[in-house]
Amino acid sequence: MTKTNPGRFFEDFEVGQVIDHAVPRTVSGGERALYQALYPMRHALYSSDEFARGCGLPASPLDDLITFHLVLGKSVPDISLNAVANLGYAEGRWLKPVHAGDTLRASSEVLGLKQNSNGTSGVVYLRTRGVNQRDETVLEYIRWVMVRKNDTEAPAPETVIPELAKAVAPEDLVVPDGLDFSRYDYTLAGEPHRFGDYEVGEVIGHVDGVTIEEAEHMMATRLWQNTAKVHFDATFRPDGQRLIYGGHVISLARALSFNGLANAQMVVGLNGGAHANPCFAGQTVKAWSEVLDKAETGAPGVGALRLRLVAVNDASVGELRGEDGKYLPQVLLDLDYWALVPV
Amino acid sequence: MTKTNPGRFFEDFEVGQVIDHAVPRTVSGGERALYQALYPMRHALYSSDEFARGCGLPASPLDDLITFHLVLGKSVPDISLNAVANLGYAEGRWLKPVHAGDTLRASSEVLGLKQNSNGTSGVVYLRTRGVNQRDETVLEYIRWVMVRKNDTEAPAPETVIPELAKAVAPEDLVVPDGLDFSRYDYTLAGEPHRFGDYEVGEVIGHVDGVTIEEAEHMMATRLWQNTAKVHFDATFRPDGQRLIYGGHVISLARALSFNGLANAQMVVGLNGGAHANPCFAGQTVKAWSEVLDKAETGAPGVGALRLRLVAVNDASVGELRGEDGKYLPQVLLDLDYWALVPV
Amino acid sequence: MTKTNPGRFFEDFEVGQVIDHAVPRTVSGGERALYQALYPMRHALYSSDEFARGCGLPASPLDDLITFHLVLGKSVPDISLNAVANLGYAEGRWLKPVHAGDTLRASSEVLGLKQNSNGTSGVVYLRTRGVNQRDETVLEYIRWVMVRKNDTEAPAPETVIPELAKAVAPEDLVVPDGLDFSRYDYTLAGEPHRFGDYEVGEVIGHVDGVTIEEAEHMMATRLWQNTAKVHFDATFRPDGQRLIYGGHVISLARALSFNGLANAQMVVGLNGGAHANPCFAGQTVKAWSEVLDKAETGAPGVGALRLRLVAVNDASVGELRGEDGKYLPQVLLDLDYWALVPV
């Protein structure tokens, strides 16, 4: 009997299955400090307890993407160890802020399955949930991944493709309890631009760039206890390169977006996302954003911006796709999310 | 008078001498988070306060190897600044878990001395103890190192070689107060294998590998305040390489062993260990384990496994030694330890 | 309207102007642990709560240079985004220790302006203050930087050059409330040398060296939320090199100075400093110190040493300047500070 975890293959999933992921995790100021060391993030709400209190929260939460990475990281050994590709995200919602001292665990439910026509792999749709020590769901999102079959003779399952919302509807966004931007301090936040200053269709180039080092993306990925070999073992891929965890690029781009979107404080919805091309150490990542939509929320002084966040390899704002409709090679990430901003 | 510390030479040690090491250290969630960023560790007991409470502990302790590295790091300026080689470990026991907020200090007692026949160096045997702010010993172990003489004319001391136990006897292992694995959650821990599933002689290849970066091993080694030049200064060795602290390889291998030994939660005994070959950045470290022995403990649901943990440079399970009895060049570490597992 | 921050140009400053810097920051044990991982620091007062209590403080503060880096980092987006060079420091004083849980913000006042004769840039003199959540100033210092003009046609401002003290007078140094070195533990601190053992003019070579990695200086600089492009983006400079933040070299040199100045515990005054030559990854940094002055303080057992701290690229103690009076190319840093030592 082998004791190591081979991961699930496509034929091991069935619709309706619920998988409880291992390794609950207590977070502290250590995760926060490391996040600040690994990404050029400067959002005031995630940097200062005082600023967060001024916005009606009990203390500064951990960055919403820390929650995302931790929850996704827990799902890797059960879901994507034999993944060929991470295909997309939908219906992501942050439901409760996570604070130092909280303990997170995660589970996933299989929503859909579709075997590929070549019979060697298939697409698995899952809803993953992160839960804290009070059994409150802090995050949920749908992800679909292409997973290899181990036994190519295994029969194809009935095809079930879940209906996915194009975007989280503004009325489904959850504003954290108590959040109040009516006395928001724009000077301390770093920029004067508020809800009314952003126009749908507006594009913001975030100016700054970061050249990625191997040590950094590996430390980040391990911090989320995501242990997929391909990120750490230079002997694993024939080209000797370590593939950078897609979430590292998400956090890098989100942090770079501070410059122009400093007040897009809280990430509350994930509408979709594509890891358009692989990312490797040595690349210089830059980012630009496009305002896709705007919405009001019931909370005092709090509006929501729907944003496209694009990360590119050493390039400025430009086309996303070529004439063939495919992402251009310099595009690393095309993410669609909702953030809360002061009105 | 020179103000810098030249370190002790072989002739500066005498049997019975007790050396109090400098720089006491308070630990926090920061050390825990960095440990998780530097090593692919996923043991649930060291990741989650909730899981630790379910096992009868007040909160999740810091990884036992953090304690080991901090205590050993403190001893370096007094013991091994002029060391030629770190020869072995014996009789190591973890006596109390270390939690965030604890402050550790360390001291060493010289147990034995043996000058080498060439008269230029000798072997020093020491018992090092780590103590917390309540004067409780948290760890003790014997280490022997070969140390250079400064004055080769200094007379050889009387040879004293301490008798060292081949292994810590199971009845001498200390189970932390309150530890109770009788309601152990195997799902959250990540693997179903328990005490009864492991057979003496069984070998487990841990599958994953990590390619080491300079920034990572230096950050780790500094975190333990181990400041031996050879780990940090690329101009120190003629070959321009920075020798990786042997403890970095221990932690890397132990973390990799999660895959197959996820329930070998707590390290409680160190029977022996050899840093078989030097390790440098760029190497890809993999690990395998062999079950050497099994024992019961008095604690509810708690058994002990004696494990050999082998780290290799880009190789799988294989021979340890060549026909000449020497370690093969790809072997980096051969460690012998006791871990606590649920029954 | 562009939403990104272009930074202030020389013509945007005027004497008397007060600029409140963005992004207040709460610190924790995470920053402390990262500082220990990034720099080979071992000062006992900054490592152990118990040791700090033995010196009359409520707990171990964060390293004084963490305070410096955080405050300076906050000022970068407002002050030095268009800087050509960081020219000097003066009149720096640490006024209150910073502890885990504190929240820092910063502001700067323009003290002087002098346009360069070529009309394309000018020198801005500022006093920057760091303030905690109780509105107590924790640090203040004067810095002057050469900043580009955006509009070279903008009229030159009236030249105002503030009078700067050559050094902080000993009577202006602020000893933290309660600090008492009369029961100082030299064994735990790591060296026996006290106030009386240091002579003015004495030079101490600190022996150890550290070869710098890109990942390390970027993580450090981001941790201080200093986001100047030149430190992170390898495509920014024509030579493809990332310029290392000068403060990284300060912390590296100060940490290396432990070996010979282990008891120079607290940094309380910054008299001056020059980043003599740029520093890049791959360089091996060593350090030496010269005792410039000594002074008593009113506090029990507490003396002050005025120290020159020099960082060099792979060289030992030697000349600072060539025959032309300019810094020799291997000199990276020439810093002048006051530290508190036990008498």
Side-chain angles (χ1 to χ4, degrees), chain C residues 192-271:
Chain C
H193 327 304
R194 61 198 71 197
F195 187 71
D197 297 326
Y198 291 93
E199 311 257 337
V200 173
E202 180 177 356
V203 171
I204 303 153
H206 298 302
V207 181
D208 303 301
V210 171
T211 307
I212 303 183
E213 295 296 311
E214 298 282 12
E216 291 170 349
H217 77 82
M218 292 201 298
M219 288 184 67
T221 308
R222 274 191 295 251
L223 186 58
W224 322 129
Q225 296 183 313
N226 175 338
T227 57
K229 266 187 281 296
V230 72
H231 307 314
F232 301 104
D233 182 346
T235 68
F236 189 68
R237 284 167 55 105
D239 66 1
Q241 292 203 292
R242 280 163 275 183
L243 183 67
I244 291 177
Y245 161 53
H248 189 66
V249 180
I250 295 178
S251 276
L252 210 41
R254 162 75 177 152
L256 288 169
S257 79
F258 177 89
N259 199 342
L261 282 165
N263 297 320
Q265 292 280 359
M266 305 193 90
V267 175
V268 288
L270 179 61
N271 303 309

Side-chain angles (χ1 to χ4, degrees), chain C residues 48-90:
Chain C
S48 163
D49 283 344
E50 304 294 314
F51 190 93
R53 281 180 201 123
C55 297
L57 301 183
S60 175
L62 295 201
D63 196 286
D64 303 304
L65 292 177
I66 293 181
T67 307
F68 177 74
H69 296 314
L70 283 175
V71 170
L72 192 143
K74 298 202 173 318
S75 75
V76 166
D78 293 316
I79 306 296
S80 45
L81 228 44
N82 301 303
V84 184
N86 196 12
L87 297 173
Y89 306 100

Side-chain angles (χ1 to χ4, degrees), chain C residues 267-305:
Chain C
V267 175
V268 288
L270 179 61
N271 303 309
H275 299 289
N277 282 288
C279 182
F280 301 106
Q283 293 183 342
T284 298
V285 174
K286 297 185 177 178
W288 54 269
S289 294
E290 180 184 352
V291 181
L292 297 178
D293 200 359
K294 299 174 62 172
E296 302 197 349
T297 76
V302 180
L305 292 181

Side-chain angles (χ1 to χ4, degrees), chain A residues 233 235, chain B residues 204-210 256 283-288 310-320 328-332:
Chain A
D233 182 345
T235 67
Chain B
I204 303 153
H206 300 301
V207 182
D208 304 301
V210 172
L256 289 169
Q283 292 184 345
T284 299
V285 174
K286 297 185 177 179
W288 54 268
V310 177
V312 287
N313 171 17
D314 193 17
S316 304
V317 175
E319 293 302 311
L320 272 173
L328 292 168
Q330 70 271 25
V331 178
L332 301 172

